[in-house]
Structures are given as structure tokens and as C-alpha cells.
Amino acid sequence: MKRFALVLAALLIAGPLPASAAAAGSYVADPQTKIHVMGEWAHPDDDTSIIGPCGVWHERYGVKCGVIMVTRGEGGGNAVGTELGPDLGLRRENEDRVAHYRSGTVDIFNLDRIDFFYNQSAPLTQYFWDEEETLRRVTRVIRQTQPEIYIGFTPTLAAGHGNHQQAGRLIWEGVLAAADPTRFPEQLRGPQALSTWQVKKVFSGGSTAGTGGTTTAANCTTGFTPTGLDTVAGVWTGYPSPYKWPAGNVQAQPAGTAKIWQQVADEGRAAYPTQSRVMFKGTSAPACPRFAMTQSFVPFQPNSSPAAGLDDAILFGATKPDPGGLPLGTLQYLTFSRFYNVAGEPFQATVHLRGKLAKGKVELTVPAGWVTDGPKQVRSGSRADVTFTVTPSATATVDQNARIAARYTTAKASGYTDNVVRIVAAAEGRFQRWGNWQEYDQWLETVAPQANRLGRSQAIQSMGVGQSIDVPVVVHNWSAQPQSGAVSLEVPSNFTLDASSKPYTLHPGTDATVTFRLTNTDTQLPAQQNVPIQIKTASGSETLTLSLVPTTVIPQTAVAVDGKAAPGEYPGPTLDVNRIWQGASGCIGPADCGSTAKVSWSDDALYFFIHVNDDYQSYAVTPAECVGHWQADSVEILLDPRGTASQSLMDTANTFKLGIFPFSQTGKPCWSRDADNKQGPAPGVEVASTAQWVGSNETTVPHAYAGGGYDLEVKIPLALLPAAVDPARLGLNITPYDNDDTSAPGTTTLRHIDQSTRLGWSALGSVQSDPYRWGLATLPGYTPPADRPTVPGPPDVSSPNLNGALSPQTIAQSAQNGVPISGRVPSTDLQIRYAGLRGNAVDIVTTSRGQGTARAFLTTGELGAIPVWTTSCPGDPFTPCAVTDGGIPPWAPDLSGRLVKQSEQQITRGVQVWSIPLTAAQRQKLTQDGRLLVSYETAADQVQAFDVRLSGRR
């Protein structure tokens, strides 16, 4: 106590802290902060592909990997606990750290963006993530950690989930922004100024397809020939790791022998129990994970070079000198005057060189039949830009990328680089893009032109069966000469056109839109809902994928919600909801599975009578689990009030979606809105269900539905929809989810996890997230109230995300490597002058130049990777020594015993003394290896992190 009083007295005399001195010179990341290979993904477990490679790179080549994780996966379900929302995010953050830490990847930079519902819209993701702020955080992390290599998702629509698409885009945008002094210039000024940074290699969206190579020996990409034009680097995961097989392991591996890195990777890949993963109990064979490079600013080895097959080839020119001999730090890359080119017409290619350049020459290698000038000379110096004229062959293949390579040669060294252009038709006819497809092509054009090598969007459209639509074709003249001709469409026999072809005349660089009227002549929905439409011009073609969706008429009639379809209540057509769009196969129509639906309207409400054939009653949810309908038997009703949600780029955020569980542990059905405009309760909805819970989630109890299925009757007030219904175009779908025995192997308890077969009225892939793929309904006689808006309001996500200032693991990492929590703006206002145990409390003395909120976490034990499995193997939390191993250790409320106590304190200017009371048991825990972790947030949302060893321990 005397020591504490002396410290406090000294601080009171000292007065406020001085401002930090301005940083001198350019910023260079220190070893604690520096990352060599950075990966970026949207959700924990998206990133498991780099576990094995990073382990090899770290151990053999001294490379440090890091991960930018945009969300913590808070919006998903929890297969092993009760945590949801931010509490689940805390648990999933730990799972991700556990998966990676043995590979030396201890820096996982969580950006604290919200994990919302499954969608396929990057623009919707931008809306919820605050696009500019997220990019600002990514840019800060890049500039502060200065990675040489960047790996992650493709930015294309092929990534599926809109969160994945946007995470891929953030790679391309972050690389550009980090190197651009005009982007987020505030990060480059002031006492904590960073510097711009050029990432050297990007691996996002490329193709690793090819032939050759091996999985059984080191340097596993030797002899590999890519199918495409991307350079592919690989790494063998058969090398021994530092981790040994424990005695008594169930895999019967000799005790003390090394696990190979693929074993470590597979064990890490399983370390996500909240996401239904189970402990890995197998043995792994060596593999050769490969990565396709889509942009490089440094010399590299092409796959035709033997050096490209080495397991460290990905590092050449970035963290290791390129075998060609150019000094590490040399930049060499190739750009073009335009990416889209016409056969026979010249364009410019420029080779950019930066660094310690010796006198030499640059020459290009072009495809057979193409012509270029050169070679051209380079003087010694630090910068050179050498431009060539390239003329493609007059017979160059249309709609295909072509590679151009550049080699810089000096008396002692040489460096290779390449890039691709695309040959297009002189007059190119493309279906007029709309929605997410149009937005993606605009992103390529205006934000990340280099990503054009990955391909533009596909041509996609939908229409109701038996209906007519316009098919606009935009013809662009890419050539330097006037073009004229005709556009024609080739359609299947069940379609007709207003004309077989239509003419166009174009000056160079201009567009013309040619529109056809297309009519479907079917009276019933065909078995194949996707049909190809060929769009042809004189020198090129494109395939439009057209999705036929079902249509219906919803009649007006009075309905009583009692679980029965009384005569006259549902006079409209019977809808077939048996078509499978995901999961097991088998249901092809009512005669096979017999699930059906009928719909009526009355008094500003829709009424549904749904019969589901089902042979097995799934897990019964608790009231708290009455969300995430896909994790148990359920039916989802999907309504797009204007039939235009996909056109507005908001996907299901402009719709109403109701997930209904036919039974729950309360004995009654339950329901909730999800993945729509306003998630959560649905006041005014009425549900009657004939399903009776069997009374147990144990598989030892018979789980057959009485009668072979169940009936649901549902009332949905139209006032709940985000906009007034257009009675001529209501988007509608009904999708039963059929879960059967979801118990884990070797157990008899059903779980609330997704193992469903998904059916629907309109059954096309990812139909739950794509309103344009839903069926279409009309409501004759219905007029919405005049005061009801026709434009949906802003969407609301009810599940919040975790603030990194509330994560002890994030705080500890930030305190160690200096990268601010979540990539936010750092503060230097607060200093912790003393923290120590005193009797039954921890005393803390702080000095601050401003005001804010401090959150203190008293912890004990190893915090960086808290085990997710129980095992009888001593010292190895990943390996089973008994078949019963693989249980889940308790997590909440204390992070498996690591969190002793937490507290919050409002900080004021000047010196402040505050205490955290302790029980005797809590004090005892802290006397061994107690730590104080503190996060500090200012009123301006700036952050600090502290990791303090407690004084006064006994």
C-alpha cells in the first residue's frame, strides 16, 4: 500500500502528459508488426486454406502470415452453445485463432463489420458494412503491417455470398488505396503517420486448374502446367511440423513422431465447433495447395521455369530475391493502353521498372501471329517506363484472354513479368446488364480495371412461365472503324420472338441498343427452369441464361386460420413445392413427395395453407432458437412486394421473409423474420400447425410425424411487407426445409444445425437470396392502402456485431503489435501508470489528455488460443487418445476460465485512480499469472490497447 501511495503522489505532481513527438522519416513496420503474407476473408473458417501453407512458409522461410477478418460470424447459428450475436462473435474469434496459431499466424485483424444474412449482393454488403469505413480500416492495416503478398476470395459474382464478393473486392481496393497518397491521407500525417505501401503480389480470383505436379514430394508444383493464363504457385504440406504425435493417439501414430503440416491444417480446419465441425480424428496425406496470381508488381518465375515449382516460389520478388538475380525491392510490371482489343488493331504495352536499375534491355513476347516492336534499351537509374506497340493477329480468337510477357535483361540479371489482354469482337453484342451484374461490371471499369482479367459478369435474366419480356442487347464498337450488321437471337422451341434479327450501325467507340420481344409459350413450368438464349453478331456471341419461374393467381376469399383448408377458403391453383434446389435428390413432383401449397387474400392479408410430406421430425427448437429456420424442419414464405428487389441491388433486404417452425419445445409452432427488411418478430402473423412434437430430441425416441407430415396455415398482414404490394407483380416463393437425423456421429442427441434438403415452388440455386428467381403472383381486385409507400424503407439488421474493444484477444493482439483495434484511428491520450493487486482489489492509475471509456479485463492463463476440444491426450488439444474425446469445454461466461473479471471506467482528463474489487478466489487466480488488458475508446472513436503485468502479486 505504501508503494501505491508513493506512485500516486508522484503522478499527481507530474501533471498531464505531453503530446507525442512527430514521427521522423518514412514509416517502416517493426518485426512485431510486419506481416509478409496477408489473407483477407469475410467470416471465420473462410480462411482455412492457408493454415498448412503458412505453417510451411513460417517454419522453413521465416514468413509471418496474418489474416484480415471482416466479420466474426456473429450472424450465424451456434451448434454447441447458447451464445448468439456479439457473444458468439467472441467465441468464433477464438475458434479462428485456434485454427491458425500453430502455423505461426497469431495476428488476426478483425474489422468488426456486421455479419448479416446470406445474400449474393456486394452492394448490399457495402450498405451494411459502411463501404468507405471498411476500406479505410483495411488500408490502415495494410499500411501498418506492410504485407508483401495478399491472398483471398475472388471479387467476382462467382464468390456467391455477397460478403465473400465484397471481401474479395476489398483486396483489390485495399492494394490500390494503400499505395495511393490521395486515399485516406490522414493516415499519412501526424505523430503516428504511416507511409503508403505497395503490396507486391495479389492472389485473388485466379484459376489453379492444370496438369502435372505432385502431392507426394517437396517442390510439388514442379512440372505443373496451368490450364489458364494465371501463374500458379504451390507449397507441399508433407513437410514435418514441430508438433508431435502424443502417446496413445487413436490414429495409432508412433508417439513423438512429427505430424506433417497437412495434419496440422486438417486439425485446424476442424476447430470450429460452433459451425458444426467435429474434432478431426483421421490421418492426413500430404497435399499441394496452390494459389493463382492475378497481379504482380515484382519479377516472378513463370510456370515454364523450373524455379516456379519450388515451394517458396510464391515468395520470389516479394520476400525473397527472384532467382533471375534482380535486387529484392525491384518493381517490374506491365500495363496496357486498353484491356479489350480487336484483332488486327494496335495498342500500347508499357513495362514499368523501379529500383536499382542497371543498363539493359526490355523485350516482349507475344502470342503467335502477333507483332510488336523492340527490344528497347533501359538506362541505369531508379525508374524506367518502356512503351511498345502491339498488334494482335488478324485471326486472333475472339472472347479469349491473351498473355503478353516482358523480360528485362542486364549484364548480370534478368526479370520476368506478364499480364493479359482480351480480344473481343469488333462489334460486340451483350445482353444489357442490370442489378448486381451491371454494378459489378461498373466496378471493373471504374475501380479495379486489372480485375477485368477475371472476366465480366454473366448474362442473367428471369421471366414468368407463359409471359413476355423485352431482351435488350447493347452492341459496342470496339474497333477504330465503323461497324454495321445485325443482332440475332437463337431461342428454344418453347419461345417466340418479334423478329429473328435486328440491324445496327455504329461509329467507333459508340453503342446501340437493340431490343427484342421474347415470349414463352409454355403453359406449365418445365423441368429445366434455366434455358440458354444465344445472342449473335457478325463476329461474336454471348449466352443469356434465362430462368423460367412459376406464376399463379391469388384469389380473394375469407379464411379462418385453424390449420384446416375448409371448402371455399383456397379456390386458387395448387402450388407444387417439391422441387429440390439444394440437398438430397428424389422429389420431382407431387406424385413423389406430395408437398403442396395454396394461397388466398382477404382484408389486406395473405393466407397460406401448406402441406409438407415428411417422414422424420427434426430437432425441436427452444424459443431463443426460433431463428435460423434452415437448422430444423421449417417452411419459409418469401414475398417481394414490388417484384423488383433484385433490380434495386438490395436483394432480400427489400423483401419480407418468414421462417416458420411447425413445432418447438414449447409444444407450439414458432416463427421469425430473417434475412429481410426487418429481421425479428412479425406482429400480426398467425400460424396454426398440425405438427405435434414427439417430446424429445433424443434419437432413441421414434421421430416419425403422425400422418407422414404436417399442415401449416398462416396469415401474413400485408402491412408487414416493406412496401405496398404491386397486385400485378408480387414476388412469391414457398420453401420447405427438411432436416432429419442431425445428431453428431456416435451420439443420440439431435442438434440445431443445417443438414437440410431444401424444396421450393421456384427451385433454383440460392433462391433464398435471389428474389428475381422467385415465382410471380397477381392479386386480382386487390388495391393497397393509398398511404402505403411503394419504396421499401432502409433495412434493419437486428443482430449487432462485436466491438473489438470488448474482445480480450483482440486487445492483447493490438497491445502487442501496435495495430489499433479493428484498424480504427489510434489514440495516444491514455497512459496506465500503475496496475497492481492490493488486498481485495486491483488498483489502476491512469493519466489522460482527454475523456473516454476504458474497459478492463483481468485474465489468467494463455489467452491467444483457448482450446475448443476436450481430450485425454496430455498437452495436445487437437488429438484424441480415446474415441470419446472431442467434447466441448465450457466457454461462457469466462472464456473457459481465462477471464477472471471485467470492468468499465469512464476516463476523465488528468490523473485518475480506480479500483476493481475482487473476491478471494479471484485474487488467488491473479496472483499466479494475472494480466490486465485494457481497451480505451475516445469520444472521437479513437482506440488504444494495453497489456499490463500486474504488480504486487504474491
Side-chain angles (χ1 to χ4, degrees):
M1 183 64 182
K2 181 178 179 181
R3 178 188 175 196
F4 171 65
L6 291 173
V7 171
L8 175 58
L11 289 174
L12 290 172
I13 293 171
L17 296 172
S20 300
S26 297
Y27 169 82
V28 177
D30 62 36
Q32 286 282 75
T33 308
K34 174 72 176 180
I35 299 294
H36 301 103
V37 177
M38 183 73 81
E40 183 190 301
W41 288 275
H43 315 101
D45 92 339
D46 290 344
D47 54 352
T48 58
S49 60
I50 66 167
I51 295 174
C54 283
V56 175
W57 296 330
H58 180 66
E59 185 190 21
R60 297 182 65 84
Y61 312 119
V63 165
K64 187 165 71 166
C65 288
V67 173
I68 295 176
M69 188 57 62
V70 186
T71 83
R72 289 182 175 83
E74 299 97 329
N78 186 346
V80 295
T82 60
E83 299 86 7
L84 294 173
D87 291 336
L88 178 59
L90 197 66
R91 189 166 187 173
R92 287 195 168 173
E93 176 184 341
N94 177 66
E95 290 176 346
D96 209 34
R97 293 183 183 278
V98 168
H100 288 275
Y101 83 95
R102 289 186 297 170
S103 297
T105 306
V106 297
D107 294 306
I108 297 181
F109 304 94
N110 288 280
L111 300 185
D112 295 358
R113 302 291 84 184
I114 192 164
D115 176 38
F116 63 102
F117 52 79
Y118 181 80
N119 66 92
Q120 295 205 85
S121 172
L124 180 62
T125 300
Q126 294 161 14
Y127 174 87
F128 282 120
W129 282 1
D130 187 348
E131 178 185 12
E132 188 73 356
E133 175 60 21
T134 303
L135 180 58
R136 185 188 310 274
R137 297 184 182 191
V138 168
T139 302
R140 178 177 292 280
V141 174
I142 294 173
R143 286 172 172 171
Q144 192 154 356
T145 62
Q146 298 185 331
E148 313 291 344
I149 298 169
Y150 214 151
I151 295 173
F153 279 133
T154 177
T156 69
L157 278 73
H161 198 320
N163 291 184
H164 295 175
Q165 295 174 35
Q166 186 60 21
R169 291 193 190 188
L170 285 168
I171 293 173
W172 295 82
E173 294 176 16
V175 168
L176 291 170
D180 184 351
T182 69
R183 292 295 277 147
F184 312 117
E186 74 281 357
Q187 297 177 359
L188 309 174
R189 300 190 296 260
Q192 299 187 77
L194 303 173
S195 299
T196 57
W197 180 253
Q198 180 63 69
V199 173
K200 309 307 187 298
K201 292 182 175 182
V202 178
F203 295 79
S204 166
S207 171
T208 58
T211 58
T214 183
T215 61
T216 60
N219 302 318
C220 61
T221 307
T222 300
F224 179 80
T225 302
T227 301
L229 301 181
D230 301 322
T231 296
V232 176
V235 56
W236 192 53
T237 54
Y239 291 110
S241 78
Y243 304 99
K244 312 297 184 183
W245 285 99
N249 64 84
V250 300
Q251 292 97 328
Q253 299 298 302
T257 59
K259 294 180 178 181
I260 64 170
W261 275 112
Q262 189 60 44
Q263 181 75 30
V264 175
D266 290 338
E267 291 172 354
R269 190 175 292 112
Y272 300 86
T274 64
Q275 300 184 67
S276 306
R277 308 287 176 89
V278 296
M279 187 183 206
F280 182 69
K281 298 182 179 181
T283 54
S284 301
C288 185
R290 294 192 172 103
F291 304 89
M293 187 170 68
T294 44
Q295 189 167 26
S296 179
F297 296 91
V298 293
F300 58 88
Q301 297 294 304
N303 284 110
S304 58
S305 164
L310 301 178
D311 289 325
D312 56 349
I314 195 171
L315 309 176
F316 293 159
T319 71
K320 300 183 69 172
D322 182 73
L326 293 178
L328 186 64
T330 303
L331 301 186
Q332 179 183 353
Y333 57 99
L334 182 61
T335 62
F336 306 109
S337 58
R338 59 178 179 265
F339 177 76
Y340 296 104
N341 291 281
V342 174
E345 295 195 359
F347 63 93
Q348 277 66 54
T350 301
V351 180
H352 306 271
L353 298 168
R354 305 287 186 270
K356 297 179 181 179
L357 306 179
K359 180 181 178 181
K361 66 178 181 179
V362 177
E363 56 187 330
L364 298 187
T365 300
V366 296
W370 293 36
V371 177
T372 187
D373 50 348
K376 299 190 176 184
Q377 299 302 308
V378 174
R379 297 180 179 178
S380 60
S382 61
R383 179 188 183 105
D385 297 293
V386 185
T387 298
F388 298 80
T389 297
V390 178
T391 304
S393 165
T395 59
T397 304
V398 172
D399 294 332
Q400 184 170 296
N401 287 357
R403 176 163 49 206
I404 296 174
R407 186 170 291 278
Y408 163 50
T409 305
T410 71
K412 296 182 178 181
S414 70
Y416 171 93
T417 190
D418 64 39
N419 205 346
V420 302
V421 295
R422 188 169 184 84
I423 299 298
V424 292
E428 182 187 41
R430 300 179 77 224
F431 172 71
Q432 187 175 66
R433 300 309 198 259
W434 60 281
N436 292 327
W437 299 270
Q438 179 185 49
E439 190 274 342
Y440 173 71
D441 284 355
Q442 290 173 345
W443 179 80
L444 288 177
E445 181 179 353
T446 61
V447 178
Q450 172 67 16
N452 270 296
R453 67 180 290 153
L454 305 178
R456 291 173 287 181
S457 67
Q458 293 180 307
I460 303 288
Q461 184 57 284
S462 66
M463 67 181 297
V465 63
Q467 296 184 350
S468 298
I469 60 168
D470 286 337
V471 178
V473 178
V474 178
V475 187
H476 180 77
N477 183 359
W478 290 101
S479 77
Q481 306 298 323
Q483 298 289 329
S484 62
V487 179
S488 62
L489 301 188
E490 291 184 1
V491 300
S493 59
N494 54 337
F495 289 87
T496 62
L497 290 166
D498 61 338
S500 58
S501 66
K502 296 189 177 185
Y504 62 84
T505 299
L506 294 169
H507 295 295
T510 61
D511 293 334
T513 301
V514 178
T515 302
F516 294 83
R517 188 66 176 172
L518 177 70
T519 299
N520 174 244
T521 57
D522 289 314
T523 57
Q524 300 292 328
L525 190 68
Q528 177 53 258
Q529 287 185 247
N530 283 333
V531 295
I533 305 290
Q534 286 294 119
I535 299 172
K536 291 188 173 183
T537 60
S539 54
S541 66
E542 178 179 65
T543 300
L544 165 64
T545 299
L546 183 68
S547 298
L548 282 171
V549 301
T551 60
T552 194
V553 176
I554 301 176
Q556 179 183 12
T557 184
V559 178
V561 181
D562 55 9
K564 301 175 183 178
E569 286 188 328
Y570 296 96
T574 298
L575 309 183
D576 171 10
V577 294
N578 290 295
R579 292 171 175 262
I580 289 179
W581 51 278
Q582 191 168 317
S585 60
C587 295
I588 57 174
D592 187 9
C593 290
S595 297
T596 59
K598 285 177 167 290
V599 191
S600 295
W601 73 268
S602 178
D603 297 328
D604 202 39
L606 286 176
Y607 294 84
F608 298 81
F609 186 83
I610 303 165
H611 171 72
V612 177
N613 271 15
D614 196 347
D615 62 347
Y616 191 95
Q617 191 176 104
S618 76
Y619 174 89
V621 299
T622 65
E625 294 169 328
C626 192
V627 293
H629 61 273
W630 57 90
Q631 298 183 99
D633 285 352
S634 65
V635 172
E636 187 176 31
I637 298 173
L638 310 90
L639 300 169
D640 178 1
R642 311 297 296 176
T644 58
S646 293
Q647 289 88 327
S648 66
L649 300 177
M650 297 299 283
D651 283 12
T652 62
N654 274 3
T655 72
F656 173 94
K657 296 178 67 183
L658 185 71
I660 306 165
F661 295 89
F663 59 90
S664 69
Q665 292 184 29
T666 67
K668 298 179 180 180
C670 67
W671 55 91
S672 178
R673 294 178 65 172
D674 180 67
D676 70 351
N677 185 259
K678 191 175 179 62
Q679 296 181 93
V685 166
E686 298 178 22
V687 176
S689 173
T690 63
Q692 298 295 317
W693 183 36
V694 299
S696 173
N697 280 325
E698 291 298 313
T699 59
T700 54
V701 172
H703 274 259
Y705 279 102
Y710 59 91
D711 295 331
L712 290 177
E713 191 165 25
V714 184
K715 174 187 176 181
I716 299 177
L718 292 177
L720 291 179
L721 274 60
V725 166
D726 179 352
R729 187 180 172 83
L730 170 67
L732 167 67
N733 211 359
I734 301 167
T735 56
Y737 288 68
D738 181 1
N739 278 264
D740 291 331
D741 185 349
T742 57
S743 59
T747 71
T748 60
T749 303
L750 296 176
R751 297 174 298 166
H752 187 215
I753 67 170
D754 179 19
Q755 292 182 1
S756 59
T757 294
R758 304 179 179 188
L759 312 173
W761 180 45
S762 184
L764 294 158
S766 296
V767 72
Q768 83 273 28
S769 63
D770 291 334
Y772 78 95
R773 289 171 162 169
W774 300 354
L776 295 171
T778 58
L779 286 72
Y782 174 76
T783 301
D787 60 348
R788 192 164 292 167
T790 57
V791 177
D796 172 49
V797 176
S798 57
S799 298
N801 51 296
L802 178 67
N803 175 0
L806 293 172
S807 166
Q809 291 178 314
T810 291
I811 297 166
Q813 175 183 304
S814 179
Q816 179 181 18
N817 64 22
V819 180
I821 294 168
S822 317
R824 291 154 66 182
V825 178
S827 170
T828 57
D829 281 1
L830 186 69
Q831 284 198 3
I832 298 177
R833 294 301 185 93
Y834 176 81
L837 284 167
R838 176 185 55 82
N840 61 349
V842 169
D843 292 317
I844 304 170
V845 182
T846 59
T847 309
S848 179
R849 289 194 299 267
Q851 297 180 336
T853 301
R855 297 180 176 91
F857 300 85
L858 295 166
T859 68
T860 183
E862 174 54 47
L863 195 68
I866 302 170
V868 299
W869 310 118
T870 59
T871 178
S872 55
C873 281
D876 186 342
F878 292 90
T879 306
C881 284
V883 294
T884 54
D885 287 348
I888 311 299
W891 171 260
D894 59 359
L895 312 188
S896 293
R898 268 68 171 180
L899 179 61
V900 177
K901 191 168 185 179
Q902 65 186 77
S903 179
E904 184 174 305
Q905 179 72 23
Q906 295 305 307
I907 297 296
T908 57
R909 184 179 178 85
V911 178
Q912 192 169 354
V913 181
W914 42 293
S915 297
I916 303 174
L918 299 174
T919 66
Q922 289 170 336
R923 189 187 194 286
Q924 180 61 35
K925 285 185 177 181
L926 295 173
T927 56
Q928 302 302 315
D929 59 353
R931 295 162 61 187
L932 170 67
L933 301 173
V934 176
S935 67
Y936 177 63
E937 295 179 289
T938 71
D941 203 35
Q942 298 174 337
V943 289
Q944 283 179 268
F946 303 87
D947 185 349
V948 181
R949 180 182 175 86
L950 292 174
S951 301
R953 295 185 295 184
R954 298 290 186 270

